Amino acid sequence: MTTWIALIISLPTGNAATRMRAWRALKAAGAAVLRDGVYLLPERDANRAVFDNLQIEVRTGGGTACVLRVEEPDEGGFVAMFDRSADYGRLIADGTAMLGQLPSSNATEAFRQARRLRQAFDSVSAVDFFPGAHRARADAVLQDVERAV
């Protein structure tokens, strides 16, 4: 059973810099939005650190913030909020397209493109808290690309 943490924040409208830093940190952490100002992550040490740091930053910026442990409602749905299959689907499509273009590609550019695809995969994987078949398929396609390059 997955346990969850929520970050509830409210920032003054005049503090655009703190608002933007918080938004970027939440996006990078892969947080799901429950509603305006309420963000969700599986309870793990790294995720707790992200929310704790954001709580401090928001309060320092003149806002309010609270990190809470939450239970998933009976009807569920929290895990589905973290579905990364569309992101992996784009990587699979890009990798497959790249494989079709390799014979005529510039080797240096092909290497750069393969590296960008792998970095994108690593970014998605870092916030894929519930990996499935799409992750494995994307990794396999990128391995094919890397071998071909």
Side-chain angles (χ1 to χ4, degrees):
M1 178 178 183
T2 302
T3 57
W4 303 91
I5 52 175
L7 172 67
I8 303 168
I9 60 173
S10 177
L11 283 162
T13 56
N15 195 336
T18 300
R19 186 177 302 280
M20 186 56 69
R21 279 193 304 274
W23 178 81
R24 286 183 180 145
L26 289 163
K27 183 173 171 57
V33 179
L34 287 177
R35 62 175 312 262
D36 286 345
V38 183
Y39 303 91
L40 183 73
L41 282 170
E43 186 172 29
R44 298 180 181 169
D45 290 342
N47 293 343
R48 172 65 79 161
V50 168
F51 276 4
D52 287 345
N53 290 335
L54 276 169
Q55 177 177 244
I56 293 166
E57 185 169 343
V58 166
R59 288 178 178 172
T60 302
T64 59
C66 182
V67 177
L68 303 169
R69 189 170 190 202
V70 297
E71 289 185 28
E72 187 166 5
D74 290 338
E75 63 272 5
F78 282 2
V79 171
M81 296 171 74
F82 295 91
D83 181 13
R84 309 292 186 219
S85 59
D87 297 324
Y88 289 126
R90 284 188 288 279
L91 287 168
I92 291 167
D94 291 348
T96 302
M98 185 177 171
L99 282 169
Q101 298 168 354
L102 275 180
S104 62
S105 294
N106 172 306
T108 303
E109 181 54 34
F111 178 78
R112 283 188 193 125
Q113 188 176 358
R115 190 173 56 209
R116 280 193 298 270
L117 287 173
R118 179 54 69 181
Q119 288 169 339
F121 175 85
D122 291 344
S123 293
V124 173
S125 293
V127 294
D128 187 7
F129 305 112
F130 309 99
H134 284 88
R135 181 188 187 283
R137 176 71 182 125
D139 189 35
V141 168
L142 294 183
Q143 287 178 29
D144 291 346
V145 167
E146 290 162 346
R147 278 192 293 274
V149 168

